[in-house]
Amino acid sequence: MTNIVLQLSKEEINKVQSYYASDRIERNAPGVVFAAKLVDTAITVYKSGKVMFQGAGALRESGRFGVADEATVKKGNGAKGDTLPENFSTLSVIGSDETGTGDYFGPVTVAAVYVPANQIALVEELGVKDSKQLTDDYMRKIAPDLMKACVHSILTLRNDKYNTIQAKGYSQGKIKAMMHNQALKNVLTKMTPEKPAYILIDQFAERNTYYNYLQNEKELVRENVLFSTKAENLHVAVATASILARYAFLKEMDRLADIIGFPLQKGASGKVDEMAARILAKHGETTLKSISKWHFANTEKAKTLLRKKAQD
Ligand code: MN
């Protein structure tokens, strides 16, 4: 659900109230001075001058009264998880994120990064933005500088080990949770005696599920841990973690490309099936298994492709 907040002047707020006068509803929540409901949008006016637009029509409706700054839109843009303190993006935070979980070929990587308040500007200067907008080449370029600048921990779970623990019954969620917990422990150890104001995990599971995955772990990182989806937009520490995780993923993909002789297809599409079938034909199962997440459906699809080829 889209969620947009505008900070408006008294005059603009008067306009909002008269515009939606016929759609007004009663809402007795603290701080709320006016509320209206359209078919696809809820509008709430707060005493502070903030006006919130929620729902499928939020962008259209908010557009009548002002343009929300990018950060405000992103922050409310359907992110799920904990409510963060208002000044969150300015605090000293450890962020963590993972990558590779949806890719048939290559590892799962997790990075945790500490960005203290006084380093936020530096990290931004080094080029950290929303990682979804960053290209692989750009991330390769800035990652080494970020690694030098920030206390961090990067874990790369290679395919052989991934396949072993997956076959033992570990779900991907559990694998990810164990890696996040380990990376966070590493960073906390490295930065001692300093402590972060918060830890923010880019949410892949809700808090209870996350800690359920970790029920057999001896040492749990729990203090001041927050979860949110789209967390890379909420603090540069998570954006940096996401870049470092991606960087480690690309490095391992490079190593695998050297072994196989060509770059491996990312993702888990039909192209991946075809490539896997080719590798299976040329190198056999052991090799394919050593560079892939073997339990993915792509394995069976590749085998089927190969059988069909043999019949042609
Ligand atoms: Mn993530």
Side-chain angles (χ1 to χ4, degrees), residues 152-163:
H152 67 276
S153 169
I154 303 173
L155 305 177
T156 300
L157 180 64
R158 287 185 173 173
N159 292 110
D160 44 5
K161 196 159 176 203
Y162 175 95
N163 289 329

Side-chain angles (χ1 to χ4, degrees), residues 49 58 71 91 100 110 118 124 151 181 187 215 225 236 263 274 282 288:
L91 301 176
V110 168
N118 63 13
E124 285 174 341
V151 178
N181 188 56
V187 170
Q215 57 189 331
V225 175
V236 288
E274 282 164 34
K282 195 172 168 204
L288 179 60

Side-chain angles (χ1 to χ4, degrees), residues 96-99 132 202-204 232 242:
S96 70
D97 196 13
E98 80 286 333
T99 199
K132 301 250 156 37
D202 189 35
Q203 179 171 308
F204 57 90
E232 66 275 12
S242 148

Side-chain angles (χ1 to χ4, degrees), residues 71 147 184 239 251 260 264 267 277:
M147 287 160 70
L184 292 171
K251 283 283 201 193
I260 298 302
L264 297 169

Side-chain angles (χ1 to χ4, degrees), residues 19-294:
Y19 188 86
Y20 296 115
S22 58
D23 304 299
R24 176 166 196 162
I25 54 166
E26 275 312 307
R27 179 100 67 76
N28 294 320
V32 174
V33 296
F34 175 90
K37 187 136 179 47
L38 309 183
V39 187
D40 61 355
T41 318
I43 298 104
T44 313
V45 179
Y46 293 91
K47 221 184 259 165
S48 63
K50 285 199 168 83
V51 182
M52 184 154 75
F53 299 84
Q54 288 175 290
L59 201 59
R60 180 196 67 230
E61 291 306 316
S62 64
R64 303 181 196 282
F65 305 101
V67 178
D69 70 25
E70 218 183 357
T72 329
V73 177
K74 278 181 184 166
K75 199 168 175 176
N77 193 3
K80 278 181 267 176
D82 292 320
T83 306
L84 309 182
E86 203 152 316
N87 59 343
F88 188 80
S89 65
T90 66
L91 301 176
S92 298
V93 167
I94 301 178
S96 70
D97 196 13
E98 80 286 333
T99 199
T101 52
D103 299 275
Y104 178 64
F105 294 116
V108 172
T109 60
V110 168
V113 180
Y114 177 52
V115 181
N118 63 13
Q119 262 197 327
I120 291 171
L122 168 70
V123 166
E124 285 174 341
E125 189 62 32
L126 290 173
V128 178
K129 288 174 255 162
D130 171 8
S131 73
K132 301 250 156 37
Q133 291 160 24
L134 300 174
T135 63
D136 285 351
D137 283 345
Y138 185 75
M139 288 193 267
R140 283 182 196 268
K141 216 170 78 188
I142 66 172
D145 289 335
L146 293 169
M147 287 160 70
K148 269 178 232 153
C150 306
V151 178
H152 67 276
S153 169
I154 303 173
L155 305 177
T156 300
L157 180 64
R158 287 185 173 173
N159 292 110
D160 44 5
K161 196 159 176 203
Y162 175 95
N163 289 329
T164 304
I165 58 177
Q166 195 281 326
K168 277 188 194 160
Y170 286 54
S171 68
Q172 238 196 23
K174 187 177 170 97
I175 292 171
K176 283 189 271 189
M178 291 172 70
M179 290 176 77
H180 274 267
N181 188 56
Q182 185 60 50
L184 292 171
K185 272 197 292 184
N186 293 348
V187 170
L188 285 168
T189 305
K190 284 185 194 177
M191 59 189 275
T192 307
E194 204 175 329
K195 277 191 168 191
Y198 290 99
I199 292 172
L200 179 62
I201 298 177
D202 189 35
Q203 179 171 308
F204 57 90
E206 286 183 0
R207 174 180 274 102
N208 288 342
T209 312
Y210 176 86
Y211 285 112
N212 258 335
Y213 287 139
L214 295 174
Q215 57 189 331
N216 296 325
E217 293 297 299
K218 280 190 211 110
E219 252 182 277
L220 279 188
V221 177
R222 296 199 85 116
E223 201 183 336
N224 297 324
V225 175
L226 298 171
F227 295 82
S228 178
T229 61
K230 306 187 181 187
E232 66 275 12
N233 297 326
L234 305 177
H235 197 284
V236 288
V238 182
T240 307
S242 148
I243 290 168
L244 296 191
R246 186 72 184 166
Y247 180 70
F249 176 80
L250 293 172
K251 283 283 201 193
E252 174 67 3
M253 288 296 265
D254 289 347
R255 193 184 71 86
L256 299 180
D258 283 344
I259 294 171
I260 298 302
F262 52 82
L264 297 169
Q265 181 73 38
K266 290 164 196 141
S269 66
K271 279 187 190 168
V272 167
D273 301 338
E274 282 164 34
M275 187 177 276
R278 251 191 294 154
I279 294 168
L280 202 52
K282 195 172 168 204
H283 300 275
E285 259 192 45
T286 312
T287 302
L288 179 60
K289 192 170 181 179
S290 73
I291 61 171
S292 71
K293 299 184 186 76
W294 192 244

